[in-house]
Amino acid sequence: MHERERAVADRLLAAETPRAVETALFESYVEEPYDIDGLLTELRVRRQRLLQNGRPAEAALVAALTGAVREHRALLERLAQEYGRTDAGRRRNSWPRDLRPPEHLTRSVLEQGVADLVDQGDLDRALQAAHRAAGVPLVDPAESVVVTSVRLSLAQRLREAGRPRDALDVLEEAGLPPSVMGDSANMEIAAARLHILRGLLWEDVGDYRLGRRAYRTALDHAVRVGAVSWRFKAWTCLAASYGKSGRYRQAVTEYRRIVAFARTLTDAHAHWFVAALNDLGTALRDAGDRDAARSHHLYVLALFEKSRATGASQSAAWFRLGDLARDEEDTAGALTAYTNGFWSAIAADVVRQGVLDTLSRLHRALPGDDELLETATLFCMTVLNEEQEDWLLTWSLRRALGGLAQRLGRHEGAVAQLHELARDAATRGRQWRLSAAGELADGLLLWHEQEGPPGTLQEAFDILWQARAGMAADLDDTAGTSADHHAVVTDYRHIHVRLVDLLLDHGREVRSPDSRTPTELAFDLYEEIRAGAHLRQMARAPMTPPDSVPEELRRAEEELLAALSDPSPGVEQRRATEARLAGVHDLMAAHAPDYVRLRRGRPHRFEDLRSHLRSRPDAEHIAFVSFHCGARSTIVFTYVPGTDRLTVVRAPVGAERLSEVTRLLRHTFDGSPHDFPPRAPLHPRRPWRRDISFLAELTPLLAAFLPVTDGRELLYVCSDGPLHGLPLSAVPTPEGPPLAARHAVAHVSGASALLHAAARHQARRKRRTQRTPEVFCASVAAREDPVPEQLEGDAELLRAAGWPATALTGEHATRQAVLQRLDTAAVAHITCHGYFDTREPLDSGLLLAQNGRRPSKLPEAQSLIARLDHMLTVRDLARRALPTRLLTLRACATGLRDEHSAGDVEGLVQALLYAGAGTVVAALWNVDECSSRRLLVDFYSRLRSDPDQPLWRVFWQAQKKMFETPGPPWEAHPYHWAALALFSDRSDDWMDT
């Protein structure tokens, strides 16, 4: 008798219900066909044996099972006929299409069809089949096991193909209901796997906050059933997420906990302990503590040497020691460590990982690395011959072959390899396609530098320009959150950076696609990256069209935007709605071109900025400065409308050092309670006791534009990356005094933000009235604040400056009441805590009271409904078209963007500016109560006595007074006078309401 039939008979006997028997019959056949007569014979033999042994009850059960097999024989024989056919030379393992499965197996059969398509590599059809299957309800909760398994497989393959958003949609349909979970360890582990993959996918689309939430859920499932391995994996992913998003100290803290946990495990899990030590070393390196990182990796090597063992962690320790040596420009030490790492991987039989680690590091050449690169390439070929399909190895091999050819001076062969790589990557998703285009352009540029043939430089430019052109379409096709849009922009950023470098270095040698100069084209490329994601998200925000737009077009747009905000329509219906909206905007463009441009999310060009700034009456007094942080340098564009000159300079300060200066500033002023030893906040009356000389490291950034801005009072400054957390006004100039001694600084989001704000301003001027501006103050502390009165007395601050302010305080400062007052207030002063939503900036806002309760200053710990009850969101403000010309936020670090989010996600202040606020004054760090009050009283008093002065000048005068003629001497310190910053896209004629 065949083993297959015996196994099926065993499975039938283990079934506890008639439905389970039926399920076992069909699922067994779908998994692997069996002989029906052979199964009946096996059951007959077992029944006879049971009768002979005096076990009639069990024999009767076997007889019943035999009857069930005969009852379903016709359907099973039809399955056999279908499975006798072949599909493209490959036996089918899914349920035949023209056979109707039993009701309780319908969903499982559909999911098996999805799995079959995944096995065939047809991901598009598999995705369609998965969406169809999701519409079939689960009759038996246990089917969730099948659904989860199939969805995990499909989502993993979609992720490998560079389609994380599709993969997330697949996992959303793979829930595990509580009825399935029960006390099953297998179900808990399946849930942990699902949430770990979900976390990785959220990170792929740039949302680290949701990624960490998924990892914590996975960790809970693993802990609940004592699944040590999955607990370790989920916890490691959580710690790694902090590092990926720039929260290096938090990553170090989590890895220390993981090391402590791994130390308690048995010897059987010793490999986790050394892996955690390596991860901790990497986190310490990212946090800037290279000596501690090196000691951890050396400790790992010592443990392996002591045990005379080999392992993957030994190889990883060598590679990471090589990275540390490379950081210190010890190229010989780095090459030695990489060589040891490679051969350690071979000895530990982790060849694939050793090859990938080696080839990824030698992609950037080291002196004398030819032999190691060639050896690793040969091993890569060997592994590929065994694995057949391994895209990551294929990618690494092609790059390595190109690198070898370049090292030997065979640039034509290297470029041929990179062309082939680009062709293969074209079908692998956006990230691989763009990476391959960048690699090919780099190869062509290297060939050009080695006196390659004519046209090489132009070919590199054309490849990058063609790759860059896809960003607009990809953003249009992304109907997700701001994090989704930012994931698209992040993928394209390296293409734009390469194009800018090429234009700045070789602009006169390439043909430009239009009449723009190389410098203007470079400016516009950076503006695409700066504004691309946020403009697309704000394009769907609620806002009022200008009065010039006909009523029927306004109604049509409102209906179509409402339809697009509904998540339920399918892809085709959404595309049809977007096409109709595009037609409406085509008609609206004749009446309100600037409004339509904003609705379409299209960034402005330099020519638009030039036209706007030169037309302003204060053109002789302003300059526009735009920073773009790179790894090793920062590019600084400066435009002075008075001279009509656009310049560009590379300042020798890179993003890594800027991030370190930002960290030092935070720790110096706000303290660092989580460090060891902990550091208290700066004492406001003794600020000079802490060194801030590190701000002088930023002076080269000022030197890049000061020679051309001399004599201009106001600088519109667009920051980038870590510069958002730095007080540019307090940075010393080359002559010594701070920048604020020479220039007023107004922070703007970008050229597009400035121009969109100007368009809104023009619409307001047409509707202005001649009444006295209303002044409003709202003050509400959080439940956790120990002394609420310190935050809730700011109405007296305005009255001390002579303003007749109306006020809402404490529990009376509710979301509805504040919004109602803002509808008519030209000046608003709000003292409260703020919240910035990295995933959806439109849901960022101000935390206010509700139902007689103050808000919590920890909104992430609350449910979404509870959070929104207490929050006045940017979406609320954008919907009202507020007349607010000045909004002051006197709270804790409200001016900062979220440094832990992906890319340049707009912070709360920038989102408020897009929502309609003319100027926002906000804090860069935790302000001192006394000095900030004195600064604001002076600011408001000057506005009251001379309302014709532009806001930026009045604010600048108040700042200069504090550091030039301070009251108490300690207020001359930047901690006091530079804590509040002015963010404005239009602050020159603020009284036009």
Side-chain angles (χ1 to χ4, degrees), residues 878-958:
R879 191 177 284 119
R880 310 292 277 236
L882 298 179
T884 309
R885 299 305 299 138
L886 171 61
L887 175 60
T888 300
L889 301 177
R890 186 169 175 257
C892 298
T894 46
L896 290 176
R897 300 183 185 206
D898 183 358
E899 65 171 341
H900 311 313
S901 58
D904 290 334
V905 179
E906 294 291 338
L908 174 59
V909 169
Q910 282 69 32
L912 289 171
L913 288 170
Y914 269 104
T919 298
V920 177
V921 173
L924 294 177
W925 50 81
N926 296 340
V927 298
D928 175 63
E929 170 71 16
C930 296
S931 61
S932 62
R933 175 179 290 272
R934 189 172 291 109
L935 177 66
L936 287 172
V937 167
D938 186 24
F939 172 49
Y940 288 140
S941 298
R942 291 172 185 270
L943 282 181
R944 178 71 174 167
S945 62
D946 192 359
D948 293 330
Q949 286 284 355
L951 275 174
W952 61 263
R953 181 174 288 125
V954 176
F955 185 79
W956 182 36
Q957 289 169 348

Side-chain angles (χ1 to χ4, degrees), residues 8-22:
V8 176
D10 290 339
R11 185 170 177 179
L12 292 175
L13 286 167
E16 297 179 354
T17 64
R19 173 171 286 182
V21 170
E22 190 177 343

Side-chain angles (χ1 to χ4, degrees), residues 954-977:
V954 176
F955 185 79
W956 182 36
Q957 289 169 348
Q959 275 191 324
K960 286 203 298 181
K961 178 183 177 182
M962 182 165 279
F963 69 76
E964 290 176 350
T965 57
W970 54 80
E971 289 186 353
H973 192 279
Y975 169 75
H976 292 283
W977 64 263

Side-chain angles (χ1 to χ4, degrees), residues 358-412:
T358 304
L359 295 183
S360 64
R361 284 165 169 85
L362 296 189
H363 177 59
R364 188 158 57 96
L366 282 172
D369 67 356
D370 302 32
E371 182 179 351
L372 178 58
L373 180 59
E374 186 173 352
T375 304
T377 301
L378 291 173
F379 272 88
C380 185
M381 291 177 177
T382 303
V383 176
L384 264 177
N385 287 334
E386 297 172 357
E387 298 289 339
Q388 296 300 319
E389 290 190 11
D390 189 322
W391 168 243
L392 193 54
L393 277 176
T394 302
W395 168 271
S396 300
L397 176 62
R398 293 272 171 75
R399 288 207 313 174
L401 291 173
L404 280 171
Q406 289 170 347
R407 285 161 172 79
L408 296 172
R410 300 170 184 169
H411 293 283
E412 185 175 3

Side-chain angles (χ1 to χ4, degrees), residues 668-809:
T668 300
F669 287 175
D670 290 342
S672 49
H674 301 297
D675 283 358
F676 184 81
R679 196 177 200 189
L682 183 71
H683 194 293
R685 296 194 176 189
R686 294 189 286 273
W688 307 108
R689 290 189 176 183
R690 289 189 182 170
D691 180 30
I692 59 168
S693 61
F694 50 79
L695 285 178
E697 296 184 41
L698 307 183
T699 300
L701 297 178
L702 307 190
F705 63 80
L706 285 176
V708 296
T709 60
D710 189 38
R712 318 294 160 178
E713 287 185 291
L714 173 64
L715 300 181
Y716 280 115
V717 174
C718 305
S719 296
D720 182 41
L723 279 172
H724 288 297
L726 294 171
L728 203 65
S729 297
V731 175
T733 61
E735 295 78 21
L739 179 63
R742 293 179 57 173
H743 296 286
V745 174
H747 297 273
V748 296
S749 303
S752 297
L754 188 69
L755 292 166
H756 286 310
R760 289 197 307 267
H761 173 76
Q762 290 299 324
R764 280 183 177 145
R765 290 190 59 157
K766 295 175 183 177
R767 298 194 296 267
R768 68 182 180 181
T769 62
Q770 298 299 324
R771 58 185 173 81
T772 302
E774 182 177 329
V775 181
F776 165 62
C777 177
S779 304
V780 55
R783 296 195 290 268
E784 297 86 353
D785 289 327
V787 186
E789 295 77 14
Q790 287 186 352
L791 287 174
E792 296 181 351
D794 274 12
E796 293 306 317
L797 181 154
L798 284 160
R799 292 171 184 141
W803 291 91
T806 58
L808 291 171
T809 303

